[in-house]
Amino acid sequence: NAGVTQTPKFRILKIGQSMTLQCAQDMNHNYMYWYRQDPGMGLKLIYYSVGAGITDKGEVPNGYNVSRSTTEDFPLRLELAAPSQTSVYFCASSVLAGGLQTQYFGPGTRLLVL
Amino acid sequence: GENVEQHPSTLSVQEGDSAVIKCTYSDSASNYFPWYKQELGKGPQLIIDIRSNVGEKKDQRIAVTLNKTAKHFSLHITETQPEDSAVYFCAATTAQKLVFGQGTRLTINP
């Protein structure tokens, strides 16, 4: 299994541009998540999904959109990029088993907005 | 909602010594407490976890303890090695979402 994969690894955007961060998992996990990690900080939840067709907001959803049309893919869309969105973005997936979940993280996408 | 506080933010220990990282949580309904290790340029990786019905769990040089009454849990690393240098995150959850602590940067000095 490849686990959780993310593309691109690094991207520079100009203010006002848009882009989609790709995330895919091949573990047949129902749950998928998007986090952002600012320098020296912890992980903040942007959006999450409990299954195909179902998404919900996390702690910091403003400026982002998501969709979940398949179990495998969970893209994150940035509209009108702003310098405040400069961060490292991590996608994660998990399965809920026995009331517990272990999240598996991708390698991250580093985004710089200038 | 759940709030997780993690201390210290940075920790430096001599190789071979022990390291302890502490976390407190606010929601008494939280029932699962994982610890993640993040190496430079990589995503977090689970290293150990503990359920609310267990007080302590050990895996080789790593152990986690949980005090439900006080609502705090700790990560213990013994006989530290250079490869233990990383950022460590604690987390707590009741169901679908994990709430992470702010992270601890652990440096092992040779």
Side-chain angles (χ1 to χ4, degrees), chain A residues 31 33 35 37 40-43 45 48 50 57 90 96 98-103 105-107, chain B residues 31-32 36 38 41-46 49 51 89 93-98 100-103:
Chain A
Y31 295 81
Y33 306 82
Y35 296 90
Q37 184 178 35
M41 303 293 287
L43 297 156
L45 183 63
Y48 68 103
V50 301
K57 296 178 180 179
F90 289 101
L96 196 63
L100 307 177
Q101 59 157 300
T102 296
Q103 292 193 12
F105 285 81
Chain B
N31 59 2
Y32 176 60
Y36 285 82
Q38 185 178 26
K42 297 183 178 181
Q45 184 174 12
L46 179 75
D49 56 12
R51 300 183 183 207
F89 292 98
T93 183
T94 54
Q96 299 166 348
K97 296 183 289 183
L98 287 177
F100 287 87
Q102 297 87 341

Side-chain angles (χ1 to χ4, degrees), chain B:
Chain B
E2 177 65 276
N3 183 51
V4 178
E5 298 287 335
Q6 183 173 346
H7 299 280
S9 57
T10 60
L11 180 60
S12 183
V13 302
Q14 290 298 121
E15 182 178 351
D17 288 350
S18 296
V20 180
I21 302 170
K22 298 182 179 181
C23 290
T24 60
Y25 61 99
S26 61
D27 190 346
S28 57
S30 288
N31 59 2
Y32 176 60
F33 308 91
W35 285 87
Y36 285 82
K37 176 183 181 181
Q38 185 178 26
E39 298 178 336
L40 193 62
K42 297 183 178 181
Q45 184 174 12
L46 179 75
I47 55 172
I48 195 167
D49 56 12
I50 192 167
R51 300 183 183 207
S52 59
N53 59 351
V54 176
E56 183 174 1
K57 183 177 179 181
K58 189 174 182 180
D59 183 4
Q60 299 182 337
R61 296 186 298 108
I62 295 174
V64 58
T65 59
L66 171 65
N67 184 327
K68 287 177 57 180
T69 303
K71 288 189 283 187
H72 66 71
F73 55 113
S74 301
L75 177 71
H76 304 254
I77 305 174
T78 59
E79 301 173 11
T80 53
Q81 300 171 3
E83 54 264 35
D84 294 330
S85 292
V87 178
Y88 291 81
F89 292 98
C90 63
T93 183
T94 54
Q96 299 166 348
K97 296 183 289 183
L98 287 177
V99 177
F100 287 87
Q102 297 87 341
T104 296
R105 182 173 299 281
L106 175 62
T107 302
I108 308 302
N109 301 311

